[in-house]
């Protein structure tokens, strides 16, 4: 947890402006850095209580979203702040602005929200009836018209009070809106400006439209995915959209946040889903010279060419997955199938792989998936059932670990990963209990930005913003 996050978690009012460093800290009877050092020196304490000196003089601020609240608190005779270190999530206090887009950017924002960031998703006006964002867990929704100057001014004000901006538009869109990096980083040098696109911000394809399948194709990896004699098969839209896009962008943001602790400055993150997908496939690229992928698609060891690395249909129409690569695992596989090693070709006899695969298929087709699970239980043969989404949450291992969460509608979704021992993710904690409705938090976000009630109502009347409720609780 960086210093700014620690102070935010402690006071819930620190905004990061110069005035907070120079004016707020004497309110606690010590400097800001002394306050932090005092916390860090008291290892083992779960919480620490600080009381301010008596003061009747309001603290004046220049920037930030918490000033009005802090001014009110600072006029009190006595203020007590409690910081519970062991309950804080890893990036608690980090303020993220996510411009609404398709799957990659929402996933990036959800990952950050799951681990404690306060994510404000900026939705376009007039989008309430469109497909809901299923990756909105823990976010707030501000509906804003960026095609008018007033809407642009609102977003600039929001970015001045934020740590991270995630934007998914084609190159040049933000610049044409007057929201390019030069503008926003000029107003907030600490801002991390994350740009997430298919082909990146430069190059001849930068402005070309595309989707996951196109980016996977251009990464070089799609050509290697598929079975023998069949056309390339994309692995759903996981490779570019999520692994090479949203998750890679989230990693870039966290690295930039760590670097900002040293420099005090934000930076621009250029996430290309083509490059991200290729980078995820680094093992594939770096093993090509060794001949691991020398044969045509679907005929190599790890692309279902090998009989010991494939899926097999069972008697009940279900499937099992086999990954018995190492010799000891392969021996256990043969034993479980009831096959005599002396009658089988050598494991790495590539020319015999098709015949061996046919024999494995014959064996697995004789019993149900449940029977095979019982046969291989306790054996290191690398044989597992192929579970459906409906089955996986009920699996014994997943149930023990709590690997899936139940939504309000009764559906199961994956829990955040990885697991952190001291600061685990708590999806939705401290923000929204469920996926937000578009515009649900518009008015509360505006008020936290310092807009007065007449200003909020004028923005609504002018169509600059839209709201689905007028009594939203503050979440910032």
């Amino acid at each position: 947890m960086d210093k700014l996050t620690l102070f935010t978690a402690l006071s819930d009012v620190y905004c990061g402006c110069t005035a907070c460093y120079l004016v707020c800290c004497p309110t606690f009877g010590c400097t800001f850095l002394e306050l932090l050092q005092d916390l860090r020196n008291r290892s083992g304490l779960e919480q620490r209580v600080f009381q301010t000196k008596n003061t009747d003089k309001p603290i004046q601020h220049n920037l930030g979203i918490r000033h009005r609240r802090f001014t009110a608190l600072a006029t009190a005779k006595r203020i007590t702040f409690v910081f519970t270190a062991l309950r804080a999530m890893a990036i608690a206090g980090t303020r993220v602005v996510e411009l609404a887009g398709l799957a990659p950017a929402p996933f990036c924002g959800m990952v950050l929200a799951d681990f404690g960031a306060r994510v404000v998703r900026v939705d376009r006006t007039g989008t309430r009836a469109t497909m809901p964002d299923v990756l909105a867990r823990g976010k707030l929704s501000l509906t804003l018209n960026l095609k008018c100057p007033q809407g642009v001014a609102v977003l600039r004000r929001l970015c001045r009070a934020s740590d991270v901006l995630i934007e998914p538009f084609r190159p040049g869109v933000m610049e044409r809106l007057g929201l390019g990096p030069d503008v926003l980083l000029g107003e907030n040098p600490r801002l991390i400006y994350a740009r997430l696109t298919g082909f990146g911000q430069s190059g001849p394809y930068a402005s070309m439209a595309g989707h996951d399948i196109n980016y996977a194709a251009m990464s070089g990896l799609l050509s290697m995915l598929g079975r023998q004699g069949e056309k390339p098969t994309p692995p759903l839209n996981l490779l570019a959209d999520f692994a090479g896009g949203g998750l890679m962008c989230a990693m870039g943001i966290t690295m930039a946040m760590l670097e900002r602790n040293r420099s005090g400055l934000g930076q621009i993150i250029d996430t290309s889903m083509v490059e991200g997908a290729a980078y995820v496939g680094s093992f594939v690229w770096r093993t090509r010279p060794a001949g691991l992928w020398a044969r045509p698609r679907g005929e190599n060891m790890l692309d279902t060419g090998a009989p010991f690395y494939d899926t097999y249909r069972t008697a009940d129409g279900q499937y099992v997955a086999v990954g018995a690569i190492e010799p000891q695992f392969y021996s256990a596989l043969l034993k479980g199938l009831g096959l005599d090693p002396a009658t089988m070709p050598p494991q790495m006899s590539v020319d015999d792989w098709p015949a061996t695969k046919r024999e494995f298929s014959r064996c697995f087709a004789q019993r149900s998936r449940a029977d095979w699970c019982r046969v291989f239980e306790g054996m290191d043969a690398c044989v597992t059932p192929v579970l459906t989404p409906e089955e996986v949450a009920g699996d014994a291992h997943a149930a023990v670990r709590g690997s899936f969460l139940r939504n309000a509608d009764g559906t199961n979704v994956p829990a955040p990963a990885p697991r952190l021992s001291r600061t685990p993710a708590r999806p939705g904690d401290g923000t929204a209990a469920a996926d937000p409705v578009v515009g649900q938090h518009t008015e509360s976000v505006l008020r936290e930005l310092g807009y007065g009630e007449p200003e909020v109502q004028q923005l609504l009347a002018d169509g600059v913003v839209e709201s689905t409720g007028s009594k939203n609780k503050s979440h910032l």
Side-chain angles (χ1 to χ4, degrees), residues 395-405 415-419:
D395 176 71
H397 185 79
V400 168
R401 287 182 56 83
S403 302
F404 289 82
L405 307 174
R419 299 189 176 198

Side-chain angles (χ1 to χ4, degrees), residues 362-438:
R362 182 190 66 79
C363 291
F364 278 114
Q366 293 177 356
R367 305 177 73 165
S368 69
R369 188 185 71 179
D371 285 343
W372 286 119
C373 288
R374 284 189 287 269
V375 167
F376 286 104
E377 184 176 3
M379 295 178 63
D380 276 341
C382 300
V383 177
T384 57
V386 177
L387 299 177
T388 65
E390 293 76 22
E391 295 174 313
V392 66
D395 176 71
H397 185 79
V400 168
R401 287 182 56 83
S403 302
F404 289 82
L405 307 174
R406 186 171 292 275
N407 278 339
D409 61 3
T411 58
N412 294 308
V413 293
R419 299 189 176 198
L420 306 184
S421 61
R422 290 189 301 101
T423 57
R426 297 195 302 277
D429 189 286
T431 52
D435 295 351
V437 176
V438 172

Side-chain angles (χ1 to χ4, degrees), residues 228 295 305 307 349-361:
Q228 179 185 19
R295 299 174 66 84
S349 176
V350 176
D351 291 339
D352 292 308
W353 279 359
T356 302
K357 185 175 288 191
R358 287 192 294 271
E359 180 64 11
F360 286 3
S361 296

